[in-house]
Amino acid sequence: SDHAVNTAEWRLDVGGAVKEPFRLTYDEIQSLPGIERKVLLICPGFFANYGRWQGISMPDLLQRAGVNEGVTHVRFSGPAGAYQKVAQYPIQAVRTNQVFLAYGVNGKRLPVKHGFPLRLVAEAYYGYDWVKYVDKVELIQI
């Protein structure tokens, strides 16, 4: 079964080593500067899926948070519990939207099985590192 999210209660937490931590509702995320990128989702041995992903422009998100000096990575987390998954990526990959958060694919709202309301899209990384149901973004130094 898939993780169901009530968008009225759901929030995206942006924090860690930032000057201005903040939380966003699903509606607020829809109104942020957006991007669209064609990225191949590869799960070795299972499938490859070439999708047009719509999502958040990550440089805008980072700028709003104010990145502290010394930050090296951005950590993305799914919800606590059975679906919790965490992955971290170099901040350069996030600053260039190689790694970003998607809320749509191929012109449609992200389906629940693909991680609605937000999933990680990470170009050049295998699909099992693409966290689903993301609700937390933390800037860290490792």
Side-chain angles (χ1 to χ4, degrees):
S1 76
D2 295 301
H3 176 74
V5 167
N6 175 353
T7 52
E9 294 170 5
W10 179 90
R11 298 291 180 272
L12 176 68
D13 265 316
V14 180
V18 298
K19 294 169 181 65
E20 293 285 330
F22 59 92
R23 304 181 84 195
L24 295 168
T25 65
Y26 184 68
D27 288 343
E28 286 171 330
I29 281 169
Q30 302 290 303
S31 63
L32 293 174
I35 59 163
E36 179 172 292
R37 296 195 62 179
K38 281 191 171 169
V39 181
L40 187 61
L41 165 57
I42 303 171
C43 290
F46 294 103
F47 66 91
N49 180 2
Y50 197 51
R52 261 189 320 113
W53 301 90
Q54 292 82 35
I56 300 170
S57 172
M58 298 306 286
D60 290 291
L61 200 74
L62 295 179
Q63 193 174 358
R64 175 168 170 181
V67 180
N68 289 352
E69 230 172 292
V71 166
T72 58
H73 287 73
V74 181
R75 180 184 290 151
F76 298 89
S77 310
Y83 291 93
Q84 178 136 42
K85 189 163 182 173
V86 177
Q88 51 208 30
Y89 294 88
I91 189 156
Q92 294 88 326
V94 179
R95 282 197 196 281
T96 56
N97 280 326
Q98 180 192 354
V99 171
F100 67 98
L101 291 170
Y103 46 70
V105 61
N106 298 329
K108 299 194 176 83
R109 191 178 93 158
L110 194 66
V112 169
K113 69 177 172 126
H114 280 308
F116 176 84
L118 274 185
R119 78 164 300 155
L120 197 69
V121 173
E123 192 175 347
Y125 294 91
Y126 282 132
Y128 49 73
D129 287 332
W130 294 22
V131 182
K132 291 182 185 180
Y133 318 112
V134 172
D135 60 7
K136 190 182 276 187
V137 176
E138 292 170 279
L139 281 81
I140 59 172
Q141 183 170 6
I142 57 172

